[in-house]
Amino acid sequence: MHRWVKEHGLSRTLEVGLAYGASAACIMSAHEGTHTCMDPFQDEFNRQGVANIESLGFRSRLEFHPGLSRDVLPRLVAAKRSFDFAFIDGDHRYDAVFVDFFYIDLLLEQQGYVLFHDTWMRGTQLVASFIKRNRKDYRRVRCPARNMFLFQKTGQDRRCWHHFREFYTWKAFCTHRAIVWILSLKKFFERRRSKNGTVDGESGSTGTAGWF
């Protein structure tokens, strides 16, 4: 993410979610501008995310909002803020991801980018499918990182008031179910090996890492 942000000259960045500040550090180290982020759960992380950014010397360029994105993003819209890059990595339920995108679309300047994390999750997949099928003013960009969707805003939203194109696909549904099944199978074998006390080879390592 650091290299990609730097290569594209992005400097007005936005992030939903902070946690320990790992992604924020990658983004902020790639430019000299302000990074705006929000996270209502920093106390649950012992405010480690903000502390980590401060330890890197980036605190003066961090605009942190300790609130829910559904509350913070509308205030940024009302303040007529604009950004050239947004990273969505907060609440991963479908409705929350969709609301994040709705407001970020209003904040994103032309040719700006929006990046979604955890694309194996069905909620994120459905929002990406909606964008691909209903928002012709966005184009899917090949993302060098795994488990992410990247879109670029390339025009104005000119849909008529009653526009809707179905975005639910059986392919995406089946893919998601396969991933869930694989993860469940992995956990089953891990529990079984732990219960039986078996090890893999001479290294003494346990688990099913070699399977996946």
Side-chain angles (χ1 to χ4, degrees), residues 4 8 35 41 60 94 107-108 125 158 165 180 190:
W4 190 88
H8 287 77
H35 182 65
F41 305 111
S60 62
Y94 166 76
L107 293 164
L108 203 63
Q125 290 175 358
R158 302 190 185 283
R165 185 181 179 192
V180 170
E190 287 175 346

Side-chain angles (χ1 to χ4, degrees), residues 16-49:
V16 176
L18 179 63
Y20 292 108
S23 54
C26 288
I27 296 170
M28 296 186 72
S29 61
H31 65 74
E32 298 297 326
T34 298
H35 182 65
T36 303
C37 69
M38 58 217 69
D39 188 343
F41 305 111
Q42 266 298 284
D43 288 341
E44 296 182 15
F45 290 92
N46 295 318
R47 297 191 64 81
Q48 196 60 52

